[in-house]
Amino acid sequence: MNISELNTLETAMSYAPILMFDRAEPFYPDFVGISVLYQSGPSPSFRRDIKFPAEAVQYVIEYAIWWDYEIGHLYEMEHVWVYVGHDGEVVDCEASFHGKVLRGLLKERVNVIGHHVCLYSQPGKHAFSPLPVVFELLPNLYSAAGAEAGCDGLLVNELFQDYFETNEQIDAQVERYLQTKAFVPTMEFEEYLLKPEMFMTWDNLFGIIPHRIKDRLMELEQLYNT
């Protein structure tokens, strides 16, 4: 790791979000891929353009948070964007929510502790919100973590479609495994801090993802075909 990468990771850790997970959550993050944007432009790992006024924002830290599993399918990646001002203070925050983007900073900054924004993670599905009550508006909040566990098998989106593919057997194995992880959300949340060893540059994370997927599929193959 060169000095530039080390500085990037140290900066990202100093602004890393505090995540709140349901007490019954079966899956916690495995890695965090970091990008720092010093000017407006396309996100390296999410389908969106990140725009900010240079006079108010010095840079934006993009956190691509990776799980090997979520309750509905194999692998998950959610995002947090922290906007840092020229004085080093958090100017704004955004977070991913089922392919969309929500504001992550509440009025009067009541969910900011120092330089760390506090965000809640949807039980099992991991979408982020600064308010847990938002999850109560989802009609499948409980069924997604229970009866629908594993229903999406191995997810293959545009970002990874050149690196792996799925089939009926793979999807069935993923669903069978995730059904064993089905749970009833308590809607009681506990603080979770991202660990320093989880952080890497986005390029490095992107490079290991196909191997993570291959390893998980091999584990499922051994589990259900031996």
Side-chain angles (χ1 to χ4, degrees), residues 6 10 21-22 37 46 64-65 68 96-97 99 109 113 135 159 165 177 220 223:
L6 185 61
E10 288 179 347
F21 284 99
D22 191 278
L37 289 81
F46 190 93
I65 304 175
D68 283 351
S96 61
F97 191 91
R109 304 169 57 87
I113 302 173
F135 305 137
L159 198 59
E165 59 187 18
Y177 173 72
L220 294 176
L223 181 63

Side-chain angles (χ1 to χ4, degrees), residues 129-178:
S129 169
L131 293 170
V133 69
V134 172
F135 305 137
E136 298 281 5
L137 303 177
L138 299 172
N140 69 335
L141 171 63
Y142 292 95
S143 62
E148 298 170 17
C151 64
D152 294 321
L154 169 58
L155 185 67
V156 182
N157 63 21
E158 292 182 359
L159 198 59
F160 304 118
Q161 63 184 3
D162 294 333
Y163 298 90
F164 51 81
E165 59 187 18
T166 191
N167 56 47
E168 290 185 4
Q169 179 179 340
I170 289 174
D171 288 343
Q173 290 175 343
V174 172
E175 182 173 16
R176 185 175 176 183
Y177 173 72
L178 288 174

Side-chain angles (χ1 to χ4, degrees), residues 34-46:
I34 299 301
S35 303
V36 179
L37 289 81
Y38 290 93
Q39 60 186 16
S40 297
S43 160
S45 61
F46 190 93

Side-chain angles (χ1 to χ4, degrees), residues 53-78:
E55 64 273 14
V57 177
Q58 184 179 7
Y59 53 83
V60 176
I61 307 171
E62 177 176 277
Y63 300 84
I65 304 175
W66 173 268
W67 289 255
D68 283 351
Y69 284 103
E70 68 126 87
I71 198 62
H73 46 76
L74 197 156
Y75 88 80
E76 167 80 310
M77 189 163 65
E78 297 288 350

